[in-house]
């Protein structure tokens, strides 16, 4: 849904900035999630925020699709390529979700940032305010957020979003999905040889 992030946010970051194609990105994401998800959590929700028709805003739905149906006893996905949480559906869908007690919500979204932050992944404790980068007023969501910085915040944003490199977005989505999956597998003590993703 395109939020914004700035280097001034850095004190709120759990751990720095992860390059989207870093081969260790899933493990770094896993480590950060383990450091901020409290003990005693019984269920994790992932909200994949964004559009399935705009490449630059498709990160959240892609992550949701990659995580769908894995560890269903402990992980629920809301927002995918098939059923996106976009500007139209987010405000309608989220208030109707009954989150389980002792649950934790990870919000995923594409964001805009400064030039030096483009193509990076940021994991941060605290809620995400989707749509702010496009001037939308939508409800905040999440106990923590994983943000993919897809573009520099610039005046030609709307046209740039349509032509964002899909390979970059997909690589970013794969690393985020793997990181969350590994975190869930370890957090809830699934066997270490369980699949990270169920790709068909």
């Amino acid at each position: 849904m395109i939020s914004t992030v700035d280097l001034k946010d850095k004190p709120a970051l759990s751990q720095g900035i992860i390059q989207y194609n870093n081969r260790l990105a899933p493990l770094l994401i896993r480590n950060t999630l383990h450091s901020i998800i409290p003990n005693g959590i019984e269920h994790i929700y992932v909200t994949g925020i964004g559009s399935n028709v705009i490449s630059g805003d498709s990160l959240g739905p892609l992550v949701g699709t990659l995580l769908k149906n894995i560890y269903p006893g402990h992980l629920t996905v809301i927002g995918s390529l098939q059923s996106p949480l976009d500007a139209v559906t987010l405000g309608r869908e989220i208030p109707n979700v009954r989150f389980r007690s002792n649950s934790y919500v990870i919000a995923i979204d594409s964001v805009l940032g400064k030039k030096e932050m483009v193509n990076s992944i940021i994991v941060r404790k605290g809620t995400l305010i989707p749509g702010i980068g496009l001037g939308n007023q939508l409800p905040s969501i999440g106990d923590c957020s994983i943000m993919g910085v897809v573009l520099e915040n610039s005046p030609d944003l709307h046209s740039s979003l349509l032509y964002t490199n899909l390979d970059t977005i997909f690589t970013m989505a794969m690393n985020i999905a793997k990181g969350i999956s590994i975190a869930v597998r370890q957090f809830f003590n699934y066997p270490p040889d369980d699949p990270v993703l169920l790709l068909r």
Side-chain angles (χ1 to χ4, degrees):
M1 202 89 62
I2 304 297
S3 304
T4 57
V5 67
D6 196 286
L7 285 174
K8 288 183 287 187
D9 294 331
K10 194 165 184 179
L13 300 180
S14 298
Q15 285 185 14
I17 297 169
I18 303 166
Q19 190 65 21
Y20 85 102
N21 58 356
N22 184 332
R23 63 185 182 86
L24 297 179
L27 296 179
L28 295 172
I29 292 167
R30 184 276 315 267
N31 292 345
T32 306
L33 289 174
H34 270 265
S35 73
I36 61 178
I37 297 176
N39 291 328
I41 291 298
E42 297 176 0
H43 200 85
I44 292 175
Y45 290 84
V46 168
T47 57
I49 302 165
S51 169
N52 61 358
V53 295
I54 301 172
S55 60
D57 194 26
S58 64
L59 178 66
L62 268 170
V63 173
T65 296
L66 290 167
L67 289 173
K68 202 82 171 173
N69 302 320
I70 193 163
Y71 308 129
H74 293 99
L75 177 65
T76 298
V77 172
I78 307 168
S80 62
L81 291 174
Q82 184 177 14
S83 302
L85 281 178
D86 56 24
V88 175
T89 61
L90 180 65
R92 183 177 69 228
E93 298 290 333
I94 291 300
N96 295 323
V97 176
R98 294 185 178 181
F99 294 106
R100 303 183 190 185
S101 59
N102 294 326
S103 63
Y104 193 87
V105 181
I106 303 171
I108 316 291
D109 199 7
S110 304
V111 300
L112 310 174
K114 292 186 176 181
K115 185 176 182 179
E116 61 267 30
M117 299 176 72
V118 173
N119 294 339
S120 61
I121 298 167
I122 298 169
V123 185
R124 182 172 65 180
K125 187 176 181 179
T127 61
L128 179 72
I129 305 176
I132 196 169
L134 298 178
N136 295 327
Q137 293 185 336
L138 297 164
S140 59
I141 186 169
D143 297 300
C144 80
S145 56
I146 301 180
M147 302 171 286
V149 187
V150 296
L151 288 172
E152 182 179 2
N153 199 352
S154 65
D156 62 345
L157 167 66
H158 290 275
S159 60
S160 298
L161 282 173
L162 295 171
Y163 303 108
T164 306
N165 187 321
L166 270 176
D167 180 67
T168 299
I169 300 294
F170 185 74
T171 301
M172 192 178 286
M174 282 290 292
N175 281 330
I176 292 171
K178 287 177 182 177
I180 293 172
S181 180
I182 295 168
V184 171
R185 184 175 68 183
Q186 294 185 348
F187 198 86
F188 296 109
N189 298 312
Y190 284 88
D193 57 351
D194 269 17
V196 174
L197 299 175
L198 297 177
L199 298 178
R200 295 187 178 97

